[in-house]
């Protein structure tokens, strides 16, 4: 620091003098347009008032192993902060960065769980982030420990995805819930065609692994529109907000800003998903009974359906009501036909199939209409479309 080489003693003194604190960077949900998460990022507030970012001393702490002392000492700070944050907004899930070294001590997780329970903070409001590289070097102890976390409802994120070389096979066997796409992928995406492909693949990978995705390092709004289009769930970056001191972060969430995340991205995804779903329903009518059950299950959790329910619940727009009605009708018809298929009743299938295609055609048309309306209406803006003062939707553009 100040040109002098950092030593373990400096870090140890800083810890004794209670000079470390967390800043919180808001995480925006692209589903709801609301801030529903934050990442705790450590800062070193020196006695002379200087504020040192993590990047300046955490790599050294990692190299020397002193990171484990820092992590242990900072858990109590993190939980104290969470109590204050959750009092203001109990939907916020906060992430804590931990090091693979922390997990090499097999008392780390049981101790962490005890401290969390003692603090009274709901476990489901806490997420731990581990980098892709550290995940790849897990020992058996590390693996057992993260499995224990998952069993205890603590979220687990793979951080800096794209900076290591994790394969699908390796990630498939790990109990993570969130994939955080590294800044390098997000920032390259809009400047090169390969960059865009890599971003597409990363989000798709997250979904194939049943994880949700967070794109990190989002600095401009264009990428947000694109990310919505490919089904990314969350964004984090300077465009939304820089990391903020606790008091400022609390002020920030207190404003309850609803971002107009514009639904065109979700609509695009809903169109693609819907076409695929109709194809699956149709083909399963020719399949053996064992496969039908899979389609039935999927149809209940079908993304277009979930998406439409969310939209129609939140905005009072006639077109979406029509869309929802048509969607439900197509789902009902599919269900009856698939049941008829399992009981071998071909007459019902022959009778209902034309109706099914008519109504699913109507859903497609309405989805396309909604998509073009949403695209015309603009890009991500704060507040527009919503009157943030009372949370009700303002006049619809339709
Ligand atoms: P990270 O976990 O990937 O955290 C994100 C870093 O990117 C943060 O830097 C954040 O300030 C920065 N960032 C956020 N949005 C943007 C953006 O739009 N553009 C750009 N260029 N940067 C952005 P920070 O706070 O200096 O942290 C650096 C790294 O230090 C973190 O990277 C994390 O690996 C580590 N770290 C931070 N806090 C802790 C901690 O409490 N414990 C441990 N073990 N590591 C920590
Ligand atoms: Ca992180
Ligand atoms: Ca990261």
């Amino acid at each position: 620091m100040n040109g002098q080489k950092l030593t373990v003693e400096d870090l140890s003194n800083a810890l004794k003098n209670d000079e470390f604190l967390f800043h919180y960077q808001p995480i925006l949900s692209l589903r709801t347009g609301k801030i529903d998460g934050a990442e705790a990022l450590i800062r070193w507030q020196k006695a002379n008032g200087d504020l040192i970012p993590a990047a300046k001393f955490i790599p050294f702490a990692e190299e020397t192993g002193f990171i484990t002392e820092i992590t242990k000492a900072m858990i109590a700070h993190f939980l104290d902060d969470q109590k204050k944050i959750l009092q203001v907004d109990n939907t916020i899930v906060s992430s804590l960065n931990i090091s693979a070294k922390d997990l090499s001590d097999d008392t780390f997780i049981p101790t962490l769980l005890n401290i969390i329970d003692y603090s009274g903070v709901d476990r489901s409001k806490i997420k731990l982030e581990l980098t892709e590289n550290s995940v790849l070097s897990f020992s058996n102890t590390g693996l057992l420990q993260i499995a224990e976390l998952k069993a205890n409802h603590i979220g687990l994120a793979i951080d800096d995805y794209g900076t290591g070389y994790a394969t699908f096979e390796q990630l498939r066997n790990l109990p993570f819930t969130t994939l955080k796409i590294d800044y390098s992928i997000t920032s390259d995406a809009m400047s090169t065609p390969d960059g865009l492909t890599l971003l597409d693949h990363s989000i798709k990978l997250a979904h194939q692994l049943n994880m949700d995705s967070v794109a990190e390092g989002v600095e401009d709004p264009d990428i947000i529109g694109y990310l919505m289009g490919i089904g990314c769930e969350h964004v984090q970056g300077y465009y939304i907000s820089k990391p903020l001191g606790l008091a400022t972060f609390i002020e920030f969430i207190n404003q309850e800003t609803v971002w107009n995340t514009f639904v065109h991205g979700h609509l695009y995804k809903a169109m693609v998903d819907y076409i695929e779903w109709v194809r699956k329903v149709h083909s399963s009518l020719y399949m053996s009974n064992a496969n039908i059950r899979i389609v039935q299950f999927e149809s209940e959790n079908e993304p277009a359906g979930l998406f439409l329910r969310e939209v129609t619940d939140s905005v009072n727009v006639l077109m979406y009501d029509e869309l929802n009605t048509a969607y439900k009708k197509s789902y009902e018809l599919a269900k009856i036909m698939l049941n008829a298929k399992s009981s071998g009743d071909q007459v019902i299938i022959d009778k209902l199939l034309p109706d099914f295609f008519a109504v699913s055609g109507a859903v497609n048309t309405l989805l396309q209409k909604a998509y073009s309306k949403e695209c015309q209406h603009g890009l991500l803006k704060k507040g527009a479309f919503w009157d943030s003062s009372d949370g009700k939707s303002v006049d619809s553009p339709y």
Side-chain angles (χ1 to χ4, degrees):
M1 300 278 117
N2 294 335
Q4 278 179 344
K5 225 169 168 322
L6 183 63
T7 65
V8 170
E9 204 185 347
D10 294 333
L11 294 178
S12 171
N13 286 334
L15 207 52
K16 273 189 217 126
N17 299 333
D18 206 13
E19 289 177 355
F20 295 121
L21 74 163
F22 285 119
H23 277 196
Y24 289 87
Q25 186 171 35
I27 298 176
L28 175 72
S29 161
L30 294 179
R31 291 277 186 272
T32 62
K34 294 178 190 165
I35 301 296
D36 68 354
E39 177 174 1
L41 293 158
I42 199 167
R43 299 289 178 261
W44 180 355
Q45 175 93 65
K46 293 196 148 190
N48 65 7
D50 286 354
L51 193 68
I52 316 291
K56 289 266 169 65
F57 63 92
I58 287 294
F60 176 72
E62 293 264 3
E63 266 166 47
T64 55
F66 195 73
I67 190 69
T68 56
E69 299 304 315
I70 297 181
T71 311
K72 273 190 246 161
M74 293 307 288
I75 290 169
H77 282 272
F78 175 73
L79 292 168
D80 280 348
D81 291 352
Q82 293 332 298
K83 281 191 233 165
K84 293 180 187 139
I85 292 169
L86 290 165
Q87 253 169 23
V88 177
D89 183 341
N90 67 6
T91 67
I92 306 280
V93 174
S94 294
S95 299
L96 178 70
N97 289 284
I98 60 165
S99 154
K101 291 211 169 75
D102 295 327
L103 293 178
S104 59
D105 169 4
D106 57 14
T107 63
F108 178 73
I109 297 301
T111 313
L112 175 69
L113 289 170
N114 276 337
I115 303 175
I116 294 172
D117 289 349
Y118 187 73
S119 76
V121 174
D122 185 348
R123 290 173 179 179
S124 68
K125 297 291 185 283
I126 294 173
K127 197 180 270 191
L128 300 184
E129 296 191 7
L130 276 150
T131 63
E132 182 188 10
N133 277 322
S134 66
V135 165
L136 292 179
S137 64
F138 267 160
S139 62
N140 276 348
T141 318
L143 271 174
L144 287 174
Q145 297 220 51
I146 55 163
E148 169 104 13
L149 285 170
K150 175 85 181 288
N152 281 285
H153 312 289
I154 293 190
L156 284 166
I158 296 180
D159 200 3
D160 303 345
Y161 175 74
T163 57
Y165 298 94
T167 62
F168 182 82
E169 270 316 295
Q170 286 166 316
L171 296 178
R172 201 167 66 118
N173 297 318
L174 297 168
F176 282 80
T177 51
T178 301
L179 194 69
K180 293 193 81 173
I181 317 292
D182 191 60
Y183 172 76
S184 55
I185 295 187
T186 317
S187 59
D188 271 4
M190 296 313 252
S191 49
T192 63
D194 284 351
L196 215 51
T197 308
L198 192 56
L199 181 62
D200 284 355
H201 279 299
S202 307
I203 304 288
K204 206 180 247 174
L205 177 78
H207 295 161
Q208 282 168 342
L209 293 164
N210 282 328
M211 296 185 200
D212 63 354
S213 53
V214 181
E216 292 194 292
V218 166
E219 291 180 353
D220 80 79
D222 290 348
I223 187 83
I224 301 184
Y226 185 79
L227 285 162
M228 281 190 287
I230 56 176
C232 176
E233 287 84 356
H234 287 96
V235 288
Q236 177 183 352
Y238 294 166
Y239 182 73
I240 309 301
S241 166
K242 292 205 163 179
L244 305 168
L246 179 65
T248 319
F249 174 72
I250 286 178
E251 265 170 47
F252 188 89
I253 51 174
N254 240 332
Q255 289 164 5
E256 293 183 20
T257 308
V258 179
W259 294 65
N260 181 2
T261 50
F262 276 100
V263 282
H264 72 276
H266 296 315
L267 282 164
Y268 178 76
K269 187 164 186 298
M271 284 196 288
V272 174
D273 288 345
Y274 190 75
I275 290 169
E276 179 65 5
W277 175 76
V278 170
R279 190 194 62 75
K280 272 191 197 159
V281 170
H282 190 214
S283 63
S284 75
L285 295 172
Y286 297 92
M287 280 178 187
S288 66
N289 287 353
N291 291 327
I292 294 169
R293 254 182 248 127
I294 297 167
V295 178
Q296 258 177 331
F297 172 75
E298 281 182 1
S299 67
E300 270 154 30
N301 296 287
E302 202 271 317
L306 292 178
F307 159 76
L308 289 172
R309 234 171 292 145
E310 260 170 41
V311 169
T312 43
D313 278 355
S314 57
V315 291
N316 190 13
V317 177
L318 181 66
M319 182 182 62
Y320 284 122
D321 286 345
E322 286 173 16
L323 192 49
N324 208 11
T325 309
Y327 170 76
K328 278 185 187 145
K329 182 95 200 290
S330 70
Y331 171 65
E332 283 307 317
L333 287 169
K335 211 167 160 179
I336 299 169
M337 286 191 299
L338 291 165
N339 282 337
K341 171 77 182 172
S342 2
S343 54
D345 194 342
Q346 191 60 36
V347 179
I348 290 194
I349 297 173
D350 292 344
K351 188 165 171 277
L352 294 184
L353 204 53
D355 291 353
F356 176 70
F357 283 122
V359 79
S360 57
V363 172
N364 281 329
T365 309
L366 283 162
L367 279 170
Q368 274 179 27
K369 192 171 144 195
Y371 176 75
S372 63
K373 293 271 185 199
E374 294 292 359
C375 286
Q376 282 164 33
H377 199 55
L379 273 172
L380 190 90
K381 286 190 204 92
K382 275 190 221 183
F385 201 77
W386 287 87
D387 178 359
S388 56
S389 59
D390 64 4
K392 289 202 190 88
S393 57
V394 294
D395 279 353
S396 89
Y398 309 108

